[in-house]
Amino acid sequence: LAVLLLGVTAEGCNNSNSEDLVPDKDMVAVPIGGVGHYGEGITVTEFSINGNRGGRIDGWGGGGAGRCCVLLPRQVSEPMTVTVNWITTRTDVDELREHEAKVPIHFTVQPGLGGSGLYVHFLPGHKVEVWFASPTPASSKYPGPKYPGAPPPPYQPLPDEAPLREASTSE
């Protein structure tokens, strides 16, 4: 696998072809976003793709692309992997955890031809998938993980995590 770095952050990116933002004509700047599939009771307080900050994502549903940016080749001819770092917090049990995964990007459209952004899907078990596709994750035609619908299930902790607190009842 060829590992290509996505590097450089560019302010004000909207899939821009501006020479000021992306001087290399073989690259395109794309916004990044995330979608939470964890459930209720957990939040991704911040995440990044190869060091490019993506922001905060709720544990169920979450943000669209909008944080800027990573550079991708206009034409992808070899598999690409990225490093995703993220922090989760569970306020009901006062637990904060850091995570890291090296994962492939799933391309369904060439970056130079469009796409809605680069999306990180935060899945149960602290797994992630990264997709560059069109349309957006909320669309029924999105090829990646299905966008979370209401109502959110409670987050299911892993064996090495603090268990859910039992709801207290006062009688």
Side-chain angles (χ1 to χ4, degrees), residues 104-125:
I105 299 175
H106 301 278
F107 288 96
T108 62
V109 64
Q110 289 290 339
L113 298 177
S116 60
L118 189 65
Y119 292 94
V120 180
H121 292 268
F122 298 95
L123 304 167

Side-chain angles (χ1 to χ4, degrees), residues 30-102:
V30 299
I32 58 179
V35 180
H37 298 266
Y38 279 125
E40 186 175 42
I42 188 168
T43 301
V44 177
T45 60
E46 62 183 81
F47 75 97
S48 65
I49 301 172
N50 285 355
N52 296 291
R53 189 170 182 276
R56 180 185 183 281
I57 301 297
D58 291 333
W60 194 248
R67 296 300 292 223
C68 192
C69 286
V70 294
L71 292 180
L72 294 176
R74 288 184 180 281
Q75 295 293 316
V76 178
S77 59
E78 297 181 17
M80 289 182 64
T81 60
V82 292
T83 300
V84 179
N85 292 89
W86 70 105
I87 298 172
T88 55
T89 185
R90 295 176 52 216
T91 55
D92 65 329
V93 294
D94 194 29
E95 183 176 69
L96 183 80
R97 288 194 166 207
E98 295 183 17
H99 313 274
E100 180 176 288
K102 291 181 193 261

Side-chain angles (χ1 to χ4, degrees), residues 136-152:
T136 66
S139 170
S140 62
K141 296 184 184 207
Y142 183 73
K146 184 178 182 203
Y147 194 82

